[in-house]
Amino acid sequence: MNLAQILAVVIFLVMFGLIISEKIERHIITLAAGLLTILAVFVLAMGSTEAIKETLNLHSIFTLGFWYTGGRLEASSTGINWETIIFIAGMMVMVEGMAKAGFFRWLCIKLAKLVNYKPVAIFIAFMFMAAILSMFIDSITVILFLASATIELARILKFNPVPVIMSEIFCANLGGSSTMCGDPPNIIIGTSFGYSFGDFLRNTGSIAFVCLIVIVIYFYIVFKKQLSNGEKPDLEAMEKDSADLIPDKKAFALSSAIFGLAVVLLISHAKTGLTVSTIGVVIAVLMLIASGKHAVDILKLVDYKTLLFFVGLFIVVGGLEQTGVLTLIAGLIGSVSGGNVYIMVAIVLWLSAIASALVDNIPFAATMVPVIRSLSATMGVDLHTLAWTLAMGTDIGGSATPIGASANVVGIAVAKKEGYSIGWGKYCKYLIPATVLVILITMLMLFAKYC
């Protein structure tokens, strides 16, 4: 490894350790690490202004493809993913507007009545809802919506929302693995090899379905006791208060309509050519207009610290990408597998999962695409087998840590904002075993179906 690669790895590892320690706010750590990456790696070690330009990726915002793809699914895999950041910001505005209009409290009262105020029933229903919605809608939107609804419901029924939110995060990532539009790495893999929505559904979808059943049982077993202490509220008092759930019916109707529009736009964006950044901006503007005099209050409630956290994280991962560290990691697969399809599938799956738990899975997936194409050509291994393996590894591996996927970061941020802290220890205690379990099942199913 050269100096630039060593510095990039050291900065990443130090940043990772500081985030785990939870002694300094996350956005300060990643921003400082990002600045250090630019100065130490790009300027001093590489002397490359081009690396800085590509990592900051500001020029992409001013291109047509950033806002409209003409019906072609495209995904930026270099540097700061401004599409993701703008999209998250737009969805945050939408969620805050919906909360202001009383949407979540109304929804929670209806759900509580439907399941007879049983937290465990809500827990199971929300896991399936997270997985199903994430097949068609970006998991970030799904988690923003469900986490907010879960916290509101937890306040009503007096149960701990943390287990529910962690389970929702995992199931959203799992559901996203089953379709081409469910997770960004799938978009990269699908467009690179010409796969369709149906191709993913038949291959990764079948694996995800089996894993979902197993994982719901797993979370039920480990979290049942934590949820069984919920208290049934005073029904008469709730019925009395229900009239005040929607203080402004016009605002409620508008926010509900805007949410419905967001769902339609996200499901159809591959057909319309509208990128997620465009959808995020449109939805945010509509929500602010609909909110009227409350627009400024909604903007103040947006979680800017989480957005800054993403900016710093993307820069640090960009350092690993620009210096070729990710390529080195990917290249190890061909040298150690020796052409054995079982070994190769296992290595691609586990390496993708571990790497995606530590770094953003978008650049890693983009780096691995030419690698598995080369492995298929030189080793005689079926390309489709390696493609589905890569998709499952990158999609599921991100669930293992709080920074492995965007949905994780957003869900934890929503919980923290409402006073429910989900630390690294608590998160990893339950979700690393869940991730390992799903990867093991995935590996066995890949062996049975393709090897």
Side-chain angles (χ1 to χ4, degrees), residues 123-140:
F123 172 61
I124 295 173
F126 273 34
M127 281 193 285
F128 280 107
M129 193 184 305
I132 294 170
L133 290 176
S134 294
M135 293 172 62
F136 308 100
I137 309 171
D138 191 281
S139 57
I140 297 167

Side-chain angles (χ1 to χ4, degrees), residues 5 30 46 56 109 130 157 161 207 240 263 282 319 338 350 379 420:
Q5 292 171 333
T30 60
M46 296 176 65
L56 294 180
I109 293 294
L157 300 182
I207 297 173
K240 184 178 180 181
V263 171
V282 169
W350 286 98
M379 301 291 184
Y420 299 96

Side-chain angles (χ1 to χ4, degrees), residues 194-354:
Y195 295 144
S196 66
F197 183 97
D199 291 330
F200 272 91
L201 196 59
R202 285 188 296 272
N203 291 277
T204 59
S206 61
I207 297 173
F209 176 76
V210 173
C211 293
L212 177 62
I213 301 301
V214 174
I215 215 63
V216 167
I217 296 172
Y218 165 82
F219 283 130
Y220 174 78
I221 292 171
V222 298
F223 288 138
K224 182 182 179 182
K225 289 184 179 179
Q226 297 185 41
L227 293 166
S228 60
N229 295 325
E231 300 175 17
K232 190 172 181 177
D234 186 335
L235 300 185
E236 292 185 5
M238 288 189 67
E239 291 291 344
K240 184 178 180 181
D241 293 341
S242 62
D244 300 324
L245 291 177
I246 309 174
D248 188 337
K249 292 185 178 180
K250 181 181 178 181
F252 178 86
L254 286 173
S255 65
S256 300
I258 292 171
F259 175 70
L261 176 63
V263 171
V264 172
L265 290 177
L266 287 168
I267 291 175
S268 62
H269 82 99
K271 299 289 185 182
T272 63
L274 298 177
T275 65
V276 292
S277 48
T278 299
I279 295 171
V281 170
V282 169
I283 294 302
V285 170
L286 289 176
M287 184 58 76
L288 290 173
I289 293 173
S291 301
K293 61 182 181 181
H294 299 298
V296 176
D297 294 332
I298 288 173
L299 285 174
K300 290 179 180 178
L301 291 171
V302 171
D303 189 356
Y304 296 103
K305 290 182 179 180
T306 295
L307 299 178
L308 292 174
F309 169 82
F310 273 117
V311 171
L313 184 63
F314 278 130
I315 293 174
V316 176
V317 174
L320 299 176
E321 186 179 9
Q322 291 293 328
T323 56
V325 172
L326 295 183
T327 304
L328 285 176
I329 295 172
L332 290 174
I333 298 173
S335 61
V336 300
S337 65
N340 184 295
V341 64
Y342 289 96
I343 296 176
M344 195 176 295
V345 165
I347 293 175
V348 170
L349 181 66
W350 286 98
L351 179 60
S352 299
I354 294 170

